């Protein structure tokens, strides 16, 4: 009796990914992407059907219900193909490779990503969602399976020729690098800002005439360009985008936090999943907006979002979970998109009925709430209402003959009551895998908030960083794992994991002055050089040099749902070079920027992280070295309120003896220039400000140091 082949059963029950486990009961004999499945495809000489998605993906759920739970479709997949399921959040390398050919051949991409591969992994047919039967110009999935199997048997040579052509195209797009220019690109910031201005929706905010995505990177480009040039339109487009994000349906006005994107031009109805990375990057953009404009709303929405993350997305031991699903159980008893978040006027009245509002009765408070957030009987989403800000506080005060402060108090209590009532609803599923890179983004957001609002705000990120170092970092091997889930650690980290987490650790050093955070950032940066830097190609690859042999070794140069890992890494290496100048981090960053300079210049808006890194390389950042035992509270507040793009807040002990202890802890033979000869003067906290390779005299007044930056602009 022979052992059963791995493809004789669905093997996803052994996986930790919640997305993969959701498919463990399908009649399809799903395989994880592993050697067993790939060897089975070669042994059977059958094509691979690769399905890539993620836990909170709406159309992934739809295709599962329509096709992957259908017994006839499952039979075709099991008999004629080796079906493999991949969680894109665990394997962004595979997603990048096969998404690229989808975009090249179809002009678009997305999830679920459906790819047919040769047994060697070369793609020959690609698409996204397919209905079970043909409709609206899309082939039915069952019919498509039959057609592809027939072609596999009758036109194998043609399929293999196409697969070879597509694979070469992927390598050319993702792996190969142009001949490097002599120097990094210059003056790309204004080009990117002009492109953002041309594409802006000045009527509704943001970019695009259909779906609206947050685009935090573009906001940073515009704010920095406005600061540099004084061009008012840059600032206006940035704040119009921020206003749309906080006032529209992208934001959860009851519980805090941002949904993935909006399905319409006017930011009303979102896709309701909440992704950790959006709830890191949007608050960072809001905090930058607050610093640039002084608008307190941006600060408040950012801090409320971090409260949401701490409350609903933090592991008890520290790390941050990945997502909340878009669907939850609705009134029908079925899983419904947005059911947890939408309201009717009657539901608002019931939620507020027992609350004491002092100045008004509960019915009036409900009316004010409904008027503020546009809750109506017809609704704006399937008979209910996604909350959006549709009435100003001043207009409500006039309409209800109240003062503005009273209206705000009523709305605060109403939101609290609505939140408590909503807690009784069936909750969306939570994807509880903890990803190193996304946690790094979150650490940066908390760190910036700690400077803006006080270091205690950053404590959740400190706990998260400790969790990640304990569970995902191998200090002896200098290796970072990507994913933790219920005690299981798997998948080697990618460039985004190292770069995002290193930046998060460095940002936490700036707010806490904890040398452990700086040391960890430096170790991760050294690992980036060892593992992802290719000196011959003069680029940073997304996958480790000793990683799995795939059809291509991708780079990640463009900003997508998360920032470009190459851009973040380049910017990080430039910052850390101040602390270890002899290790050549700045040289690596310069060569990466030079290698991809033509791409950055020809498409700056697609490369916003690289644009920001190139701008930092060209102009230098704002550097503040503070020599003090503690950062004075008024200094913290002054720095947190100042718009200083690319700021480095370098903390050090006040005395030479104290600095010597730090150098020992960091294994540094000598003080780097950013610390050397910068002791505290006269026993008082002392700040040294530098900009564009010029430094101010030491000062005891943080305000004077910040004013000096203006004189050097």
């Amino acid at each position: 009796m022979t052992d059963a082949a791995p493809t004789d059963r669905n093997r996803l029950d052994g996986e930790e990914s919640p997305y993969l486990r959701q498919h463990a009961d399908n009649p399809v004999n799903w395989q994880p992407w592993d050697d067993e499945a790939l060897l089975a495809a070669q042994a059977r000489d059958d094509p691979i059907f690769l399905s890539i998605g993620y836990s909170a993906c709406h159309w992934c759920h739809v295709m599962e219900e329509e096709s992957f739970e259908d017994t006839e479709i499952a039979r075709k997949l099991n008999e004629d193909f080796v079906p493999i399921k991949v969680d894109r959040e665990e394997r962004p390398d595979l997603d990048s490779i096969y998404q690229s050919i989808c975009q090249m051949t179809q002009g678009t991409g997305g999830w679920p990503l459906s790819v047919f591969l040769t047994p060697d992994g070369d793609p020959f047919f690609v698409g996204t969602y397919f209905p079970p039967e043909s409709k609206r110009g899309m082939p039915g999935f069952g019919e498509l399976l039959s057609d592809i199997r027939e072609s596999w048997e009758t036109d194998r040579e043609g399929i293999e020729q196409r697969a070879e052509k597509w694979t070469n195209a992927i390598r050319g797009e993702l792996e190969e690098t142009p001949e490097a220019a002599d120097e990094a690109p210059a003056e790309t910031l204004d080009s990117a800002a002009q492109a953002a201005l041309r594409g802006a929706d000045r009527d509704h905010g943001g970019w695009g005439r259909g779906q609206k995505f947050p685009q935090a990177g573009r906001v940073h480009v515009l704010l920095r360009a406005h600061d540099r040039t004084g061009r008012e339109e840059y600032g206006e487009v940035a704040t119009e985008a921020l206003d749309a994000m906080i006032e529209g349906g992208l934001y959860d006005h009851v519980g805090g936090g941002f949904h993935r994107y909006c399905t319409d031009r006017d930011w009303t109805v979102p896709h309701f999943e909440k992704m950790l990375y959006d709830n890191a990057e949007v608050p960072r953009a809001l905090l930058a907006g607050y610093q640039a404009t002084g608008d307190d709303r941006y600060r408040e929405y950012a801090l409320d979002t971090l409260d949401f993350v701490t409350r609903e997305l933090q592991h008890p031991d520290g790390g941050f979970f990945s997502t909340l699903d878009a669907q939850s159980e609705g009134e029908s008893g079925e899983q419904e998109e947005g059911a947890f978040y939408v309201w009717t006027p009657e539901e608002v009245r019931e939620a507020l009925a027992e609350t004491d509002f002092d100045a008004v009765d509960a019915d009036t408070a409900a009316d004010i709430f409904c008027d503020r957030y546009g809750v109506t009987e017809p609704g704006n989403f399937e008979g209910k209402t996604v909350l959006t800000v549709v009435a100003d506080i001043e207009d409500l005060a006039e309409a209800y003959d109240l003062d503005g402060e009273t209206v705000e108090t009523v709305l605060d209590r109403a939101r609290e009551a609505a939140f408590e009532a909503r807690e009784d609803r069936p909750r969306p599923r939570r994807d509880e895998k903890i990803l190193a890179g996304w946690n790094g983004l979150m650490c940066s957001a908390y760190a910036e908030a700690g400077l803006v609002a006080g270091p205690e705000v950053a404590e959740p990120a400190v706990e998260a960083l400790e969790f990640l170092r304990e569970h995902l970092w191998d200090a002896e091997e200098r290796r970072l794992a990507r994913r933790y889930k219920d005690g299981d650690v798997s998948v080697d980290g990618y460039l985004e994991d190292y770069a995002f987490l290193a930046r998060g650790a460095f940002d936490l050093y700036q707010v806490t002055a904890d040398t452990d955070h700086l040391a960890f950032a430096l170790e991760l940066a050294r690992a980036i050089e060892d593992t992802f830097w290719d000196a011959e190609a003069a680029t940073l690859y997304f996958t480790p040099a000793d990683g799995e042999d795939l059809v291509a070794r991708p780079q990640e140069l463009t900003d997508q749902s998360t920032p470009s890992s190459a851009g973040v890494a380049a910017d990080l290496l430039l910052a850390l070079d101040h602390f270890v100048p002899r290790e050549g981090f700045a040289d690596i960053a310069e060569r990466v920027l030079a290698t991809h300079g033509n791409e950055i210049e020809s498409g700056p808006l697609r490369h916003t992280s690289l644009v920001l890194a190139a701008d930092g390389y060209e102009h230098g950042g704002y550097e503040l070295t503070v020599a003090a035992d503690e950062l004075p509270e008024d200094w913290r507040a002054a720095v947190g309120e100042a718009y200083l793009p690319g700021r480095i807040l370098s903390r050090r002990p006040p005395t030479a003896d104290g600095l010597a202890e730090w150098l020992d802890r960091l294994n540094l033979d000598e003080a780097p220039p950013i610390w050397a000869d910068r002791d505290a003067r006269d026993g008082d906290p002392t700040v040294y400000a530098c900009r564009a390779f010029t430094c101010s005299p030491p000062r005891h007044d943080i305000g004077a140091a910040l004013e000096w930056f203006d004189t050097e602009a």
Side-chain angles (χ1 to χ4, degrees), residues 370-390:
C370 289
D371 288 348
R372 171 70 165 168
Y373 296 112
V375 183
T376 62
E377 292 293 346
N380 55 25
F381 177 72
E382 298 179 359
K384 294 195 174 186
T385 299
V386 178
L387 303 186
T388 60
V389 175
V390 298

Side-chain angles (χ1 to χ4, degrees), residues 342-349 370 375-377 383-385 425:
V342 295
W343 296 85
T344 65
E346 184 59 31
E347 287 171 338
V348 172
R349 294 188 186 285
C370 289
V375 183
T376 62
E377 292 293 346
K384 294 195 174 186
T385 299
R425 296 179 179 181

Side-chain angles (χ1 to χ4, degrees), residues 346-486:
E346 184 59 31
E347 287 171 338
V348 172
R349 294 188 186 285
E350 290 177 3
L352 274 55
E354 302 301 321
T355 302
D356 183 2
F357 291 95
D358 293 334
V360 299
D361 58 34
D363 282 342
T364 302
D367 290 339
I368 293 173
F369 183 93
C370 289
D371 288 348
R372 171 70 165 168
Y373 296 112
V375 183
T376 62
E377 292 293 346
N380 55 25
F381 177 72
E382 298 179 359
K384 294 195 174 186
T385 299
V386 178
L387 303 186
T388 60
V389 175
V390 298
D392 293 335
I393 297 297
E394 295 79 7
D395 293 338
L396 290 170
E398 182 178 351
Y400 287 90
D401 195 22
L402 300 168
D403 60 77
E405 185 176 344
T406 299
V407 171
E408 290 182 345
T409 300
V410 168
L411 286 170
D412 286 343
R413 293 184 185 178
R415 282 193 298 269
E416 291 171 5
F419 176 83
E420 292 300 326
R422 199 177 73 173
E423 287 294 281
D424 292 333
R425 296 179 179 181
R427 300 184 66 82
R429 289 177 295 191
R430 184 169 65 186
D431 185 333
E432 296 190 349
K433 62 178 181 292
I434 294 171
L435 300 174
W438 295 9
N439 272 248
L441 296 177
M442 206 69 246
C443 287
S444 289
Y446 276 98
E448 191 63 29
L451 281 175
V452 169
E456 67 281 355
V457 177
E459 277 305 310
V462 172
E463 295 173 6
L465 190 65
E466 292 172 354
F467 180 94
L468 297 167
R469 291 186 68 173
E470 177 182 352
H471 294 287
L472 295 182
W473 175 243
D474 184 332
E476 289 187 11
E477 297 293 328
R478 202 185 278 168
R479 300 286 291 206
L480 180 68
R482 176 168 175 80
R483 189 264 287 158
Y484 173 95
K485 174 70 168 63
D486 294 336

Side-chain angles (χ1 to χ4, degrees), residues 669-706:
D669 294 331
E670 60 184 0
I674 201 167
W675 286 340
D677 301 318
R678 293 183 176 183
D679 298 351
R681 301 295 177 93
D682 305 320
D684 292 324
T686 305
V687 59
Y688 300 77
C690 296
R691 175 86 197 281
F693 316 107
T694 303
C695 295
S696 76
R699 300 177 186 272
H700 298 306
D701 181 349
I702 190 66
L706 296 175

Side-chain angles (χ1 to χ4, degrees), residues 2-318:
T2 58
D3 293 335
T7 54
D8 287 347
R9 69 175 187 90
N10 185 318
R11 291 199 293 128
L12 299 187
D13 57 357
E15 296 299 303
E16 289 297 333
S17 160
Y19 173 66
L20 297 186
R21 292 183 72 89
Q22 287 169 18
H23 293 267
D25 295 327
N26 293 166
V28 177
N29 288 342
W30 290 115
Q31 308 294 298
W33 181 281
D34 62 9
D35 288 342
E36 285 188 74
L38 300 176
L39 290 172
Q42 294 174 358
R44 287 173 43 173
D45 196 33
D46 281 335
I48 294 167
F49 170 65
L50 175 63
S51 176
I52 301 178
Y54 59 101
S55 180
C57 167
H58 172 69
W59 287 103
C60 299
H61 294 312
V62 172
M63 193 165 177
E64 176 190 15
E65 293 169 4
E66 292 179 342
S67 294
F68 302 147
E69 293 179 356
D70 181 277
T71 55
E72 177 57 22
I73 287 178
R75 182 192 63 78
K76 291 181 179 181
L77 280 170
N78 296 339
E79 291 181 1
D80 297 334
F81 302 88
V82 173
I84 296 179
K85 258 288 173 194
V86 164
D87 182 342
R88 69 171 289 262
E89 296 169 356
E90 286 196 344
R91 294 298 304 265
D93 54 338
L94 293 171
D95 184 56
S96 173
I97 288 168
Y98 295 114
Q99 198 74 242
S100 69
I101 197 62
C102 186
Q103 291 166 344
M104 280 189 274
T105 60
Q106 307 294 315
T108 186
W111 302 275
L113 183 64
S114 303
V115 196
F116 292 86
L117 315 174
T118 68
D120 293 326
D122 298 336
F124 62 85
F125 189 91
V126 65
T128 53
Y129 162 80
F130 292 104
E133 297 177 353
S134 301
K135 64 178 179 181
R136 287 179 283 184
M138 291 184 288
F141 189 59
E143 179 183 351
L144 180 66
L145 293 176
S146 298
D147 291 346
I148 288 178
R149 183 65 202 189
E150 181 179 355
S151 296
W152 182 255
E153 294 173 351
T154 62
D155 188 25
R156 179 75 172 265
E157 183 178 354
I159 283 178
E160 290 179 342
Q161 288 176 351
R162 181 195 295 177
E164 182 180 6
K165 179 180 178 181
W166 281 14
T167 298
N168 289 336
I170 291 171
R171 290 181 180 135
E173 175 77 10
L174 295 182
E175 183 172 346
E176 296 174 6
T177 58
E179 184 175 343
D182 292 333
E183 56 186 22
E187 302 303 329
T188 57
L189 181 70
D190 196 56
S191 297
Q194 289 182 39
L197 195 62
R198 288 192 298 271
D201 180 351
R202 300 304 302 271
D203 294 323
H204 298 285
W207 292 270
R209 296 297 185 267
Q211 297 174 341
K212 289 292 180 68
F213 288 83
Q215 306 286 12
R218 298 183 183 187
V219 173
H220 288 295
V221 163
L222 286 163
L223 291 174
R224 188 179 295 194
H226 174 254
D227 181 67
R228 177 81 45 76
T229 67
R231 186 173 177 183
E232 291 299 324
E233 285 180 300
Y234 291 163
E236 290 168 0
V237 171
T239 55
E240 285 164 7
L242 292 176
D243 289 346
M245 292 181 212
I246 63 176
E247 294 178 355
L250 189 76
Y251 184 74
D252 176 1
H253 293 277
V254 168
F258 290 90
H259 301 293
R260 175 76 274 268
Y261 65 93
C262 284
T263 62
D264 43 30
R265 182 183 176 188
D266 60 3
W267 298 87
T268 299
V269 177
H271 259 309
F272 291 90
E273 60 264 36
K274 290 182 176 179
M275 316 298 293
L276 185 68
Y277 51 75
D278 289 321
N279 288 286
E281 290 300 284
V282 176
R284 282 186 66 241
L286 287 168
L287 292 170
Y290 163 70
Q291 292 161 338
T293 69
D295 190 330
D296 283 329
R297 294 177 308 145
Y298 301 149
R299 178 184 186 274
E300 292 166 5
Y301 277 90
L303 295 177
D304 286 348
T305 297
L306 298 185
D307 286 343
F308 151 74
V309 172
T310 304
R311 184 182 68 244
E312 299 195 25
L313 287 176
Q314 188 160 30
H315 187 287
D317 295 333

